[in-house]
């Protein structure tokens, strides 16, 4: 006879946190959101921790090298999408790993034979007024000069003037050699009262640009997540089909952590993948697995050697797995059961395997609930897709700016490896949709606001760390009536009122 779960399958919106006793120490500035990412033994420190409990989803519309750098600056990890050729994914990882905080690869470059009209077109396209002039017009060409808005006046020029005739030549520029530290670069900028400093190699080729304006923002990144070599921590997604070729390429590119990207993780496919990685690399390569929604699935992956386990099936905003296949579980119910299994596993084995809540986050307060229910960190897709740093296009829909957002199970992504159960190398039917999400601006501003809400709620609960929240949180199920009570009610909102 089939197994029946007697409790309803619940979502985060069906719960509220009950306030706890708050001491005078319970202030937002005192809250720590540091959390483990990979498994560790009792009494030991995990090999990898995050400074905030957020990671970005393994999706074409969310996580590329730009997202990896932006999220690492805030203290989290982006998992660069794996539904692309191995070479291009490895290149994204390498690019993010080679990014040096404060050192920017120039994206505004031009050749000396170009014209003022070309400069203006480039400025319109990139939004940057500083343009590096190189012999071949590329970011790695030999530097011969620089053009800023002070070098020309549009009202007094025709537009056909050659860049070489009005640029500031190399002989008049302050530059620094390859290997210059960020501190040294900033000192040069301040000593010479300049706005930008080109870093050039021994052959005179442009390597990086260091900007005065980036100094303040770099100082503000107190939570940035760095490896032992002061490089940003970068993640990547893998599948259970080409892992023997993909994993070595990603390791060679410098990836810090990987996760198996699959719609359902309780499978022999994931067991084979984890066993191969452990046999090949031991515990030196970190890899998570999933997704699962119950204790049985968690224990299976933990025993197979997963460094963390992702929880959630069908809860994503663009996921239609439940609609198509009738399989999944309410995200809150899944997290609660798997967290309990994680704690029991820790008591039995002395090994703590972190869990990642993947899906079901609609409002910021759902993040706090997920953590209180036992999640060590949260994977988000729609949330990050809305920002400037996601790889999708910003479009105007009926006067409102939106960002494109599509699921890995959609026909657009064609990520058959994620949903394949040993059949044909194609999607038989869609398990995701192609959509838009409201454009929200910069990642930094939005993540900062969301986490301030999380910290404030933790203070209301009388806790200052995520482990304390998981231990002391008081959580109540709410009724449909209390859902109405929780919002504005029995009043006429000014925005909707029409005065005649």
């Amino acid at each position: 006879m089939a197994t029946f779960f007697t409790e309803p399958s619940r979502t985060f919106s069906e719960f509220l946190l009950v306030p706890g006793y708050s001491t005078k120490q319970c202030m937002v500035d005192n809250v720590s959101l540091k959390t483990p990412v990979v498994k560790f033994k009792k009494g030991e420190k995990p090999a990898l921790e995050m400074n905030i409990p957020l990671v970005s989803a393994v999706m074409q519309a969310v996580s590329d090298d730009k997202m990896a750098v932006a999220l690492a600056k805030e203290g989290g990890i982006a998992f660069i999408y794996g539904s692309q050729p191995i070479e291009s994914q490895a290149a994204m990882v390498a690019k993010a790993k080679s990014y040096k905080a404060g050192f920017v690869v120039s994206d505004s470059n031009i050749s000396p034979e170009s014209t003022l009209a070309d400069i203006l077109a480039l400025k319109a396209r990139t939004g940057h007024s500083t343009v590096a002039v190189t012999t071949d017009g590329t970011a790695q060409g030999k530097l011969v000069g620089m053009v800023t808005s002070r070098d020309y006046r549009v009202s007094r020029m025709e537009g056909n003037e050659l860049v070489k005739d009005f640029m500031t030549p190399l002989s008049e520029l302050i530059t620094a050699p390859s290997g210059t530290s960020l501190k040294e670069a900033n000192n040069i900028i301040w000593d010479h009262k300049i706005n930008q400093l080109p870093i050039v190699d021994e052959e005179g080729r442009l390597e990086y640009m260091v900007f005065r304006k980036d100094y303040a923002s770099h100082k503000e990144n107190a939570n940035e997540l760095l490896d032992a070599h002061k490089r940003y921590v970068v993640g990547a997604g893998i599948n259970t089909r080409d892992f023997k070729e993909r994993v070595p390429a990603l390791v060679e590119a410098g990836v810090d952590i990987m996760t198996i990207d699959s719609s359902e993780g309780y499978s022999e496919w994931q067991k084979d993948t984890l066993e191969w990685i452990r046999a090949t690399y031991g515990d030196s390569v970190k890899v998570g697995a999933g997704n699962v929604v119950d204790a049985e699935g968690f224990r299976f992956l933990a025993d197979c050697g997963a460094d963390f386990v992702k929880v959630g099936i069908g809860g994503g905003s663009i996921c239609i797995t439940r609609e198509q296949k009738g399989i999944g579980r309410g995200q809150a119910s899944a997290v609660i059961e798997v967290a309990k299994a994680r704690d029991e596993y820790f008591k039995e084995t002395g090994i703590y395997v972190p869990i990642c809540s993947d899906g079901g986050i609609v409002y910021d307060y759902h993040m706090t609930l997920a953590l209180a229910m036992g999640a060590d960190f949260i994977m988000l897709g729609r949330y990050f897709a809305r920002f400037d740093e996601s790889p999708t296009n910003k479009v105007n829909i009926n006067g409102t700016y939106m960002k494109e957002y599509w699921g890995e199970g959609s026909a657009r992504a064609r990520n058959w490896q994620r949903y394949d159960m040993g059949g044909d190398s194609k999607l038989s039917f869609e398990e995701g949709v192609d959509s838009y999400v409201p454009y929200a601006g910069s990642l930094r501003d939005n993540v900062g606001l969301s986490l301030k809400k999380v910290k404030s709620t933790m203070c209301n609960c009388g806790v200052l760390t995520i482990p304390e929240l998981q231990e002391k949180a008081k959580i109540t199920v709410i009724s449909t009536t209390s859902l109405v009570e929780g919002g504005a009610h029995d009043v006429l909102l000014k925005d909707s009122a029409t005065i005649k």
Side-chain angles (χ1 to χ4, degrees):
M1 181 179 177
T3 299
F4 288 87
F5 291 81
T6 56
E7 283 293 315
S9 185
R10 299 190 182 277
T11 66
F12 292 129
S13 290
E14 296 178 74
F15 294 89
L16 285 176
L17 286 156
V18 176
Y21 174 69
S22 301
T23 68
K24 293 180 179 178
Q25 294 299 311
C26 289
M27 297 185 294
V28 168
D29 289 345
N30 292 336
V31 175
S32 169
L33 294 179
K34 187 179 286 289
T35 192
V37 182
V38 298
K39 65 183 178 183
F40 59 95
K41 293 180 180 179
K42 186 176 182 179
E44 296 182 355
K45 186 178 179 181
L48 180 58
E49 295 178 292
M50 287 190 296
N51 294 322
I52 63 171
L54 304 181
V55 300
S56 65
V58 190
M59 299 175 67
Q60 295 175 9
V62 179
S63 299
D64 63 356
D65 52 283
K66 187 177 180 181
M67 177 62 70
V69 171
L71 190 48
K73 283 183 177 180
E74 301 307 313
I77 299 174
F79 284 88
I80 294 175
Y81 70 94
S83 52
Q84 61 176 312
I86 294 172
E87 296 76 17
S88 59
Q89 187 188 25
M92 283 188 181
V93 171
K95 185 175 180 180
K97 291 300 294 183
S98 65
Y99 185 96
K100 298 168 66 177
F103 292 83
V104 180
V105 175
S106 177
D107 64 355
S108 294
N109 311 285
I110 208 159
S111 73
E113 302 302 322
S114 299
T115 66
L116 173 62
D118 296 324
I119 287 282
L120 297 178
L122 182 60
K123 181 180 178 181
R125 187 167 69 251
T126 66
H128 299 154
S129 58
T130 298
V131 180
V133 185
T134 61
T135 50
D136 58 2
T138 69
Q140 291 77 38
K142 285 191 176 182
L143 184 67
V144 295
M146 192 78 63
V147 173
T148 70
S149 56
R150 293 179 298 182
D151 291 311
Y152 58 86
R153 183 171 295 184
V154 177
S155 61
R156 296 186 179 183
M157 300 172 74
E158 298 295 328
N160 57 1
E161 294 85 355
L162 296 179
V163 169
K164 64 182 180 181
D165 293 331
F166 62 86
M167 71 180 186
T168 300
L170 178 61
S171 59
E172 297 179 20
L173 293 177
I174 303 296
T175 64
S178 179
T180 300
S181 70
L182 183 60
K183 182 177 181 180
E184 291 170 338
N186 282 319
N187 286 338
I188 294 172
I189 286 173
W190 288 98
D191 290 345
H192 290 85
K193 298 180 181 179
I194 54 179
N195 291 321
Q196 63 279 323
L197 177 69
I199 307 295
V200 296
D201 64 16
E202 294 179 352
E203 297 179 355
R205 295 185 179 279
L206 181 62
E207 284 191 338
Y208 302 105
M209 297 288 289
V210 180
F211 293 93
R212 175 190 287 261
K213 63 181 177 61
D214 288 340
Y215 176 79
S217 63
H218 175 63
K219 298 294 285 186
E220 291 173 2
N221 295 328
N223 281 329
E224 60 184 1
L225 193 61
L226 306 174
D227 65 17
H229 301 288
K230 304 298 183 183
R231 301 174 302 179
Y232 287 125
V233 172
V234 178
I238 60 173
N239 61 68
T240 58
R241 292 296 177 265
D242 64 10
F243 60 89
K244 292 182 180 179
E245 295 77 37
R246 190 173 294 269
V247 170
L250 294 174
V251 171
E252 177 67 23
V255 74
D256 296 280
I257 185 167
M258 295 171 285
T259 187
I260 301 173
D261 182 35
S262 173
S263 64
E264 205 277 292
Y266 191 8
S267 73
E268 189 173 4
W269 302 109
Q270 295 222 359
K271 180 176 183 289
D272 290 346
T273 304
L274 289 168
E275 287 181 347
W276 182 86
I277 291 173
R278 292 294 170 242
T280 306
Y281 298 99
D283 287 328
S284 64
V285 167
K286 305 301 181 185
V287 58
N291 288 19
V292 298
V293 292
D294 63 6
E296 194 174 350
F298 167 82
R299 184 170 286 269
F300 171 78
L301 293 177
D303 287 340
C304 287
D307 279 295
F308 68 85
V309 173
K310 283 197 295 166
V311 181
I313 294 177
S317 60
I318 40 69
C319 183
I320 54 173
T321 294
R322 297 178 193 174
E323 179 181 312
Q324 291 280 53
K325 297 166 64 175
I327 192 169
R329 195 176 191 186
Q331 189 66 11
S333 295
V335 170
I336 291 168
E337 180 173 330
V338 174
K340 182 179 178 182
R342 187 255 337 266
D343 294 342
E344 291 174 351
Y345 191 84
F346 181 52
K347 289 179 181 178
E348 292 176 21
T349 66
I351 300 173
Y352 187 92
V353 181
I355 62 172
C356 168
S357 177
D358 179 14
I361 302 294
V362 180
Y363 305 108
D364 286 345
Y365 82 88
H366 288 172
M367 297 181 188
T368 319
L369 277 168
L371 296 171
M373 290 173 179
D376 295 282
F377 54 99
I378 303 159
M379 179 169 278
L380 301 161
R382 180 193 61 85
Y383 178 85
F384 286 115
R386 303 173 301 146
F387 303 149
D388 290 319
E389 293 80 2
S390 74
T392 62
N393 295 319
K394 183 172 75 171
V395 296
N396 191 303
I397 306 293
N398 297 324
T400 301
Y401 279 111
M402 311 286 283
K403 291 273 282 186
E404 294 179 308
Y405 181 47
W406 60 92
E408 289 297 293
S410 67
R412 181 171 182 173
R414 298 189 180 278
N415 185 3
W416 65 269
Q417 295 96 330
R418 188 178 200 275
Y419 299 88
D420 178 43
M421 297 298 289
D424 296 332
S425 299
K426 63 181 180 179
L427 282 176
S428 300
F429 53 89
E430 291 184 282
E431 293 188 45
V433 299
D434 197 344
S435 63
Y436 298 104
V437 289
Y439 168 66
S442 75
L443 179 148
R444 181 181 180 83
D445 292 342
N446 284 277
V447 167
L449 178 59
S450 295
L451 294 183
K452 186 167 287 187
K453 293 179 185 178
V454 171
K455 290 181 177 182
S456 180
T457 305
M458 289 172 64
C459 289
N460 292 143
C461 295
V463 302
L464 296 175
T465 67
I466 292 174
E468 275 189 306
L469 177 66
Q470 294 170 345
E471 179 184 353
K472 298 180 181 179
K474 295 182 290 184
I475 304 172
T476 180
V477 176
I478 60 176
S479 66
T480 53
T481 306
S482 63
L483 269 174
V484 176
E485 181 185 62
H489 60 89
D490 300 316
V491 295
L492 179 62
L493 298 178
K494 288 185 177 180
D495 289 344
S496 61
T498 301
I499 300 175
K500 297 182 179 180

